[in-house]
Amino acid sequence: MATPLECREALTTFSENLGKATGNAKAAAQLDRSLSCWISDLDLTFTGQLRGGHIEGLDEAPGRPSTKAQIRLALSGDDLVALVGGRLNFAKAWGSGRVKLEASILDLLKLRSLL
């Protein structure tokens, strides 16, 4: 089971990868939206602001998200680490229910180039 530190490091790596995006992915990474990532097996939520191609102000708190972010992820710590590390395909994980992603339809359309 991934630790809270490993999950934070994975989100930091994801943020760094967003900053390196090009083409359509770069446009999607430029969204300005609130973000939450609930790590189900740790019952821990990371929150921040997706802005300028990075995740800013990454905070963590126990339990489920206390407020509804504009972009919401829910997955296990191991799946987060595997997704960011390229060992888990997002589409397959989402299709099987291992990863849950909620956002507006417009945001989902923009985010698809990142996933």
Side-chain angles (χ1 to χ4, degrees), residues 7-8 10 14-15 18 20 28 30 34 42 44 47 49 54 60 63 66 81 90 94 98 100 109:
C7 292
R8 176 177 286 281
F14 178 67
S15 178
L18 286 174
K20 299 173 190 171
Q30 297 299 317
S34 58
L42 298 175
L44 178 69
T47 57
Q49 188 73 20
H54 296 286
E60 66 182 85
S66 60
V81 171
F90 177 83
W94 178 74
R98 288 173 63 178
K100 292 180 177 58
L109 290 173

Side-chain angles (χ1 to χ4, degrees), residues 10 28 53 69 79 97:
D79 285 345

Side-chain angles (χ1 to χ4, degrees), residues 5-86:
L5 179 59
E6 290 170 321
C7 292
R8 176 177 286 281
E9 289 171 348
L11 287 169
T12 299
T13 298
F14 178 67
S15 178
E16 292 167 357
N17 292 344
L18 286 174
K20 299 173 190 171
T22 60
N24 289 340
K26 183 173 184 161
Q30 297 299 317
L31 289 171
D32 185 359
R33 302 286 189 271
S34 58
L35 174 74
S36 68
C37 181
W38 179 56
I39 309 300
S40 56
D41 56 335
L42 298 175
D43 195 24
L44 178 69
T45 298
F46 290 91
T47 57
Q49 188 73 20
L50 178 60
R51 182 180 295 132
H54 296 286
I55 301 171
E56 298 178 355
L58 191 60
D59 292 322
E60 66 182 85
R64 290 183 176 262
S66 60
T67 59
K68 188 175 178 179
Q70 292 166 303
I71 299 172
R72 300 168 301 282
L73 283 167
L75 67 167
S76 73
D78 288 340
D79 285 345
L80 173 63
V81 171
L83 277 171
V84 173

